[in-house]
Amino acid sequence: MMNDPLFHPGWIRFNEQRWGLSAEPLTLAPDKGDAWKLETVLYRNSHGRLVTPPRNPHLPVAFHCASERPASRNRRKRLALTRLADYLQQCEFGGSLSLSSIVDDVRPFEWANMAARPRFTYHLDIATREQAIDPSARKKARKCQRLGYRCEVTEDYDAVAECLAGPEVRKGFDYRLDATELARLAELMGADHFACFLARNAQGEAMGTRVCLYAPGGHALAWSAGMKTEAMKDGVNNLVAEEALNFFDRQGCSVFDFIGANIAPVAEMKEAWGGRLVCHYAISQRGIRQLAREAYVTARTIMRRESK
């Protein structure tokens, strides 16, 4: 079983259709035996370059090892990632490749003359969340309920898209999703891997949403979220997150990935849920621009030291 819902065939198909990409499932293994296996899904654009598709938090990676001994597992994982780095070294990138947090050793990529930039998210253990969540997060969800809000799993994709428009207006970005695209993704992935949570106020108006991808028994990803500006003070974001966690607990999911913690206000909001800070990496090739940037940073560091 794959823990990451980004391995789902419907998700892969959505990326191909929505962004005009070609998916390239990749399986690496030793030349002999079955001591380890690494699986991932890469995507190529129309020019044949490897890319991370829009709206993908990472490229999924699964590592299987026949031994649980730390020494054997570490060595075999290094060998597997070295094979992946060798493969990527032969390809042309169309941008950086954001890899799953399963890739926690970036040395093979650096040895292959690639650059690795750390990115962060929070992983919350769903089974033990009651002890982890800050009381303030629960308090805001209770306030929202007292105001008459209710949250449900929905197929009202027009209402979901309407809520997603809230942060687009406030923050000036584009989810690049409308109701039609949401409905198509729901059809491709099915209700056992795709869920929309919608909060309505006492008047029945849609005020907040969270769109999630999940693998029953595996990970749930907080893929997209949107709250109308007038509802933010009511704690609607907390109510929707709480409902999502309860839902995924019933589905047997093990981890809730809050997707992203690289912006200070976002990190502050997400850390209240008690998740573990997790690092994953964006891999890029060392072209002229990357080398120039590294030279600039090195020169500035030397100048600062000499000026002291």
Side-chain angles (χ1 to χ4, degrees), residues 47-262:
H47 301 289
R49 300 187 181 105
L50 295 180
V51 297
T52 302
R55 306 302 327 287
N56 277 240
H58 58 259
L59 299 175
V61 177
F63 174 69
H64 313 276
C65 183
S67 173
E68 290 301 321
R69 291 197 304 270
S72 296
R73 186 174 180 85
N74 290 343
R75 179 175 60 83
R76 293 173 186 179
K77 193 170 191 180
R78 175 179 54 78
L79 292 172
L81 293 176
T82 297
R83 287 281 298 276
L84 177 60
D86 290 343
Y87 182 85
L88 295 180
Q89 192 178 35
Q90 307 305 314
C91 302
E92 185 178 355
F93 289 15
S96 63
L97 304 182
S98 181
L99 301 181
S100 161
S101 59
I102 293 295
V103 182
D104 53 3
D105 180 2
V106 296
R107 295 173 302 166
F109 303 94
E110 294 178 328
W111 295 335
N113 201 35
M114 285 178 263
R117 180 167 60 101
R119 309 297 291 163
F120 297 91
T121 185
Y122 285 104
H123 283 185
L124 176 62
D125 181 80
I126 294 176
T128 60
R129 68 188 184 282
E130 297 297 335
Q131 304 96 295
I133 299 173
D134 191 284
S136 65
R138 294 288 197 196
K139 185 177 179 180
K140 291 176 182 177
R142 299 290 82 77
K143 171 189 174 182
C144 198
Q145 289 178 322
R146 289 195 302 271
L147 292 172
Y149 283 82
R150 293 295 179 266
C151 187
E152 62 186 9
V153 178
T154 186
E155 294 181 4
D156 186 348
Y157 301 121
D158 287 312
V160 170
E162 183 182 330
C163 292
L164 290 177
E168 290 180 332
V169 173
R170 288 193 303 272
K171 300 177 183 179
F173 65 87
D174 186 358
Y175 273 127
R176 302 170 74 179
L177 287 170
D178 57 22
T180 301
E181 294 296 340
L182 289 168
R184 187 154 61 91
L185 180 55
E187 182 180 0
L188 286 168
M189 296 194 72
D192 56 346
H193 285 85
F194 179 85
C196 292
F197 304 90
L198 185 69
R200 297 183 183 273
N201 62 16
Q203 291 73 45
E205 300 169 315
M207 303 302 286
T209 192
R210 190 177 288 275
V211 183
C212 297
L213 317 175
Y214 70 101
H219 289 200
L221 308 185
W223 183 52
S224 300
M227 316 295 154
K228 292 185 179 178
T229 302
E230 58 269 32
M232 292 182 66
K233 66 181 185 302
D234 295 337
V236 66
N237 185 46
N238 295 68
L239 179 64
V240 176
E242 187 176 69
E243 177 63 28
L245 288 169
N246 292 337
F247 174 86
F248 292 125
D249 190 13
R250 296 192 296 271
Q251 308 308 311
C253 294
S254 56
V255 170
F256 188 79
D257 185 344
F258 278 88
I259 302 295
N262 303 296

